[in-house]
């Protein structure tokens, strides 16, 4: 060691930097769209018409939750694998290939979405990031997404190859924690993407190309949510890696328990997919029993996050006590609150504690009927992916960037203001969205008054909520401006800043040697995950196909004869 990452592994660092740059370009685009939307929805500034609103919303969703998060993940995981195994990629051409494929996929999908802004093209993908059929996009949107996902599959293969090679050289050593986290996350990703790959390749692309007349909307939607819930953990798990390995180090301590962290990642591998139907509680055509099963699985899936809350807080407290902190709560004052990476990640964690609670409300079948398709859900995901994930990514960048540029970041004070602004903006926006949702304000609606019905009658203080959402959106945009300014200054104005020094991540208090060997048996966990998925999905999918076929009956869920009888 000694030299920072970029000096030790320049080729890999180049790919990490390229992936992070793609992530931040997506964040920029998504951020601009977000501001337009927040002001449009709240009625303060309407510079787009109502139909363009959905193109803006599609771009906002795809840029933020698919591109920003996943590009950051691949860059971060490339660093984690290379650094923790301390070896270069087995074949750097393969590493370049997967990044290239992801970029080609992004350009195709982005072209289709951006076409929606230009009347003279037949390009359009105003289908939102969930692309439910029978909403239809131009085929290149789906082809682009498929190519992007194939890129991520190859990235996983690349990392497995590094691990296999490392294992050959170190047969008796336990896999380093960061590598273990990457591998379990990628195994979960392979299982997850089966659903979307089937839907996109075999059903939606042929339909959008006109090769088949129709698709079964319930089937494609179910396959989407097979992927759509676990994808949220694909965004979250790199952040859990940061909270487990970087946060304790910043706090001045050590991770409380390495085996517990491994158990958490194995639990996500096992339970992420069999919960997807909790997004479909209100869908007709799926029997209540299957929904109940998804709800029970979701409640089990709270466990790894609750274990994380315990382990991370214990590790932070350990750090604070190493720094001289004392008392039941007095130790909190000994923490490095001036460091933007630390404060940003802790604020992200705090917000996630509240967001996890709103997730539990979503997951209860009876509560869900109250909040489904309202702004409550939008509040939930702005606090999860929009804060727990996005704020941790931005905060960790203050720690991560010096390893890639070789120089310290531009200004820690500016970084601190930036992460605080993000937290404040999201407190306003998240709180108001949850409350507006309870008042019945719908999501994904350009004009929530529907011309005739003004939601202010549903909640007297609705204008106060509108103001909070708009103000939150403006503060978040300001935070983004600071983040990008800081990124540019840190990346380009480098000559007069101190050189970065390499830091080693301290070993856990309870190390991998305390973990039972079975925990490392990835084949076993993947096999159990497959069994659980089979139990949860085979019967509902079979009954959907039995009900209206693979390609649907002109998109109707009820057989035509029955309808004719009823109408006739
Ligand atoms: Fe969710 C809808 C249920 C987590 C994202 N979710 C969504 C959608 C998105 C999303 C994007 O059951 C909308 C999809 C759409 O467009 O329709 N969600 C849950 C549950 C959890 C959960 C049970 N969601 C997430 C995460 C996301 C995310 C994570 C992104 C990253 N969600 C739902 C349901 C719906 C839903 C339904 C459908 C709603 C509908 O009707 O449409 C759980 O995983 C949450 C568990 C979390 C906890 C919190 C643990 C606390 C921790 C904090 C540690 C503290 C620290 C700081 C580090 C139990 C780990 C401490 C420091 C000190 C110094 C003290």
């Amino acid at each position: 060691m000694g030299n920072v990452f970029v000096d030790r592994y320049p080729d890999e660092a180049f790919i990490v930097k390229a992936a992070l740059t793609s992530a931040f370009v997506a964040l920029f685009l998504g951020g601009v769209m977000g501001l337009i939307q927040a002001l449009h929805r709240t009625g303060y500034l309407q510079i787009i018409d109502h139909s363009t609103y959905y193109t803006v919303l599609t771009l906002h969703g795809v840029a933020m939750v698919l591109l920003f998060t996943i590009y950051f993940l691949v860059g971060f995981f490339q660093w984690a694998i290379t650094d923790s195994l301390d070896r270069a990629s087995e074949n750097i051409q393969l590493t370049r290939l997967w990044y290239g494929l992801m970029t080609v996929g992004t350009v195709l999908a982005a072209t289709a979405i951006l076409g929606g802004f230009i009347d003279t093209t037949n390009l359009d993908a105003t289908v939102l990031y969930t692309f439910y059929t029978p909403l239809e996009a131009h085929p290149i949107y789906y082809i682009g997404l498929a190519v992007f996902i194939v890129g991520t599959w190859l990235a996983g293969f690349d990392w497995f190859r590094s691990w296999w090679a490392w294992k050959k050289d170190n047969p008796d050593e336990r896999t380093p924690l960061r590598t273990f986290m990457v591998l379990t996350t990628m195994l979960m990703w392979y299982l997850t993407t089966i659903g979307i790959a089937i839907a996109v390749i075999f059903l939606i692309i042929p339909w959008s190309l006109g090769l088949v007349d129709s698709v079964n909307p319930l089937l494609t939607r179910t396959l989407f949510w097979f992927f759509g819930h676990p994808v949220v953990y694909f965004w979250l798990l790199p952040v859990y890696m940061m909270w487990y390995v970087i946060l304790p180090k910043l706090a001045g301590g050590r991770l409380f328990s390495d085996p517990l962290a491994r158990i958490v990642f194995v639990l996500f591998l096992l339970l992420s997919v069999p919960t997807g139907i909790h997004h479909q509680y209100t869908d007709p055509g799926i029997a209540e029993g299957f929904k109940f099963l998804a709800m029970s699985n979701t409640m089990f899936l709270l466990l790894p996050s609750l274990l994380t809350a315990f382990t991370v807080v214990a590790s932070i407290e350990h750090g604070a006590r190493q720094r001289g902190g004392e008392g039941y709560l007095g130790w909190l004052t000994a923490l490095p609150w001036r460091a933007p990476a630390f404060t940003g990640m802790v604020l992200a964690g705090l917000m996630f504690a509240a967001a996890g609670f709103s997730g539990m409300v979503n997951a209860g079948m009876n509560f869900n009927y109250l909040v489904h398709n309202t702004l409550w859900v939008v509040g939930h995901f702005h606090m999860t992916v929009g804060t727990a994930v996005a704020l941790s990514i931005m905060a960790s960048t203050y720690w991560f960037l010096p390893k890639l540029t070789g120089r310290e970041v531009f200004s820690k004070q500016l970084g601190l203001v930036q992460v605080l602004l993000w937290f404040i903006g999201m407190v306003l926006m998240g709180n108001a969205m949850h409350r507006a949702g309870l008042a019945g304000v719908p999501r994904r609606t350009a004009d929530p008054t529907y011309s005739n019905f003004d939601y202010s009658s549903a909640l007297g203080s609705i204008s106060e909520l509108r103001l909070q959402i708009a103000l939150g959106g403006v503060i978040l945009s300001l935070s983004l401006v600071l983040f990008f300014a800081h990124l540019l200054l840190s990346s380009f104005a480098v000559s007069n800043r101190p050189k970065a020094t390499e830091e080693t991540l301290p070993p856990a208090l309870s190390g991998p040697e305390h973990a039972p060997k079975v925990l490392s048996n990835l084949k076993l966990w993947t096999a159990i995950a497959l069994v659980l998925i089979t139990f949860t999905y085979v019967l509902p999918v079979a009954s959907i196909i039995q009900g209206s076929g693979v390609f649907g009956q002109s998109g109707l869920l009820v057989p035509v004869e029955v309808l004719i009888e009823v109408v006739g």
Side-chain angles (χ1 to χ4, degrees):
M1 293 246 169
N3 291 331
V4 287
F5 184 72
V6 65
D7 300 326
R8 285 182 291 129
Y9 297 106
D11 290 340
E12 287 73 10
F14 181 80
I15 297 294
V16 177
K17 278 193 265 188
L20 262 56
T21 306
S22 308
F24 296 140
V25 170
L27 177 65
F28 174 76
L29 257 184
V32 174
M33 298 300 122
L35 181 63
I36 294 176
Q37 226 172 263
L39 296 178
H40 183 97
R41 256 313 286 255
T42 48
Y44 286 102
L45 180 68
Q46 301 200 323
I47 54 168
I48 47 172
D49 58 36
H50 286 345
S51 59
T52 315
Y53 174 85
Y54 295 100
T55 308
V56 170
L57 186 54
T58 304
L59 186 53
H60 175 62
V62 171
M64 288 304 208
V65 303
L66 296 180
L67 301 179
F68 163 54
T69 50
I70 297 182
Y71 268 119
F72 186 87
L73 173 143
V74 292
F76 190 64
F77 276 10
Q78 182 61 51
W79 163 79
I81 281 278
T82 313
D83 195 59
S84 65
L85 297 179
D86 202 8
R87 69 188 297 141
S89 293
E90 289 312 292
N91 179 352
I92 194 70
Q93 301 302 350
L94 175 63
T95 313
R96 290 181 187 137
L97 175 68
W98 60 249
Y99 174 71
L101 272 181
M102 288 176 67
T103 309
V104 171
T106 304
V107 171
L108 290 177
T111 308
I113 300 173
L114 292 172
F117 289 111
I118 306 165
D119 291 339
T120 48
T121 79
N122 72 341
L123 290 171
D124 188 23
T126 308
V127 291
L128 309 180
Y129 86 99
T130 41
F131 53 91
Y132 293 149
T133 60
L135 290 178
E136 190 177 4
H138 191 279
I140 68 164
Y141 176 70
Y142 305 116
I143 294 171
L145 290 182
V147 173
F148 180 81
I149 287 187
V150 171
T152 63
W153 287 347
L154 281 185
F157 175 64
D158 190 16
W159 301 328
F160 267 94
R161 275 185 76 185
S162 294
W163 176 59
W164 289 323
W166 175 89
K167 258 180 52 158
K168 228 167 155 193
D169 296 345
N170 304 274
D172 301 323
E173 274 192 50
R174 282 288 174 97
T175 302
L177 182 60
R178 275 177 288 165
T179 299
F180 184 84
M181 290 172 162
V182 171
L183 301 181
T184 40
T185 306
M186 290 315 292
L187 286 171
M188 187 269 279
W189 182 240
Y190 286 124
L191 297 178
T192 303
T193 42
I194 295 173
I196 203 70
I198 295 175
V200 169
I201 296 170
F202 297 110
L203 304 172
I204 300 179
I205 291 182
W207 167 68
S208 69
L209 288 169
L211 302 176
V212 293
D213 284 346
S214 62
V215 279
N216 179 340
L218 185 58
L219 180 60
T220 50
R221 195 173 149 94
T222 305
L223 291 171
F224 178 85
W225 285 118
F226 181 105
F227 152 89
H229 189 68
V231 78
V232 311
Y233 299 117
F234 198 54
W235 308 329
L236 183 72
L237 291 180
V239 168
Y240 273 12
M241 187 197 287
M242 291 169 198
W243 293 357
Y244 278 109
V245 300
I246 304 176
L247 207 43
K249 151 101 192 161
L250 292 175
R254 290 159 64 180
L255 172 61
F256 184 71
S257 165
D258 169 300
L260 210 55
R262 287 176 200 251
I263 289 174
V264 164
F265 275 69
V266 167
L267 284 172
F268 276 110
L269 167 59
L270 294 182
L271 290 168
S272 292
V273 181
T275 55
I277 289 177
H278 71 214
H279 289 261
Q280 297 181 277
Y281 289 148
T282 54
D283 282 15
I286 299 180
E288 294 294 289
F290 299 133
K291 294 177 180 170
F292 185 81
L293 194 59
M295 176 173 77
S296 312
N297 290 339
T298 308
M299 297 305 167
F300 283 117
L301 188 52
L302 295 176
L303 184 66
S305 287
L306 294 170
L307 286 175
T308 300
F310 166 76
T311 317
V312 172
V313 174
S315 310
I316 293 176
E317 181 181 345
H318 170 75
R321 294 195 187 280
Q322 298 305 301
R323 302 162 76 98
E326 284 175 350
Y328 283 123
L329 290 176
W331 57 270
L332 283 165
T333 57
L335 289 166
W337 295 110
R338 283 173 195 279
F342 177 81
T343 303
M345 280 196 252
V346 167
L347 292 177
L350 282 178
M351 184 73 91
F352 190 51
F357 179 73
S358 81
M360 291 179 209
V361 170
N362 295 345
M365 271 168 83
N366 44 355
F367 284 128
N368 186 273
Y369 298 140
L370 181 70
V371 297
H372 183 67
N373 268 344
T374 70
L375 266 197
W376 168 285
V377 176
V378 186
H380 164 71
F381 67 70
H382 277 87
M383 287 165 63
T384 48
V385 65
T387 308
V389 174
L391 183 54
S392 295
I393 289 180
M394 289 187 271
S396 71
T397 303
Y398 296 110
W399 179 83
F400 198 34
L401 211 56
K403 289 156 188 50
L404 300 174
T405 60
R407 298 281 174 167
E408 289 303 335
V409 290
F410 180 71
S411 155
K412 293 204 166 142
Q413 286 85 342
L414 198 62
L416 195 58
V417 174
Q418 187 266 315
V419 295
L420 281 170
L421 280 180
W422 191 270
F423 184 76
I424 294 167
M426 212 50 110
V427 165
L428 289 170
M429 199 170 176
N431 167 52
M433 284 178 162
H434 276 93
R435 283 177 53 205
L438 285 181
V441 178
R443 67 183 287 203
R444 293 180 157 173
T445 307
D447 178 12
T449 60
Y450 291 122
S451 307
N452 297 324
F453 183 68
D454 183 352
Y455 275 88
S456 54
S457 56
L459 188 75
S461 60
I462 197 84
S463 54
E464 169 245 324
L465 295 181
R466 278 177 44 218
L467 182 65
Q468 273 196 55
I469 294 175
L471 199 61
V474 171
I475 295 175
L476 289 168
S477 305
L478 201 60
S479 169
L480 275 188
V481 169
L482 288 187
F483 180 67
F484 290 121
H486 198 279
L487 262 187
L488 291 175
L489 289 166
S490 295
S491 305
F492 297 112
V494 288
S495 54
N496 55 353
R497 286 204 315 282
K499 276 195 147 208
T501 46
E502 183 59 17
E503 306 162 276
T504 43
L505 294 167
L509 288 169
S510 165
E513 65 284 1
H514 296 136
K517 280 242 162 71
V518 68
L519 216 48
S520 312
N521 192 338
L522 295 180
K523 284 187 193 138
L524 173 72
W525 302 121
T526 311
I528 297 177
L530 271 169
V531 172
L532 289 175
I533 293 170
T534 310
F535 269 131
T536 341
Y537 269 101
V538 166
L539 288 178
V541 169
S543 89
I544 292 168
I545 294 177
Q546 196 187 27
S548 34
V550 172
F551 292 103
Q553 293 172 352
S554 313
L556 291 174
L557 298 176
V558 184
V560 179
E561 307 80 65
V562 176
L563 270 187
I564 292 172
E565 211 168 288
V566 173
V567 177

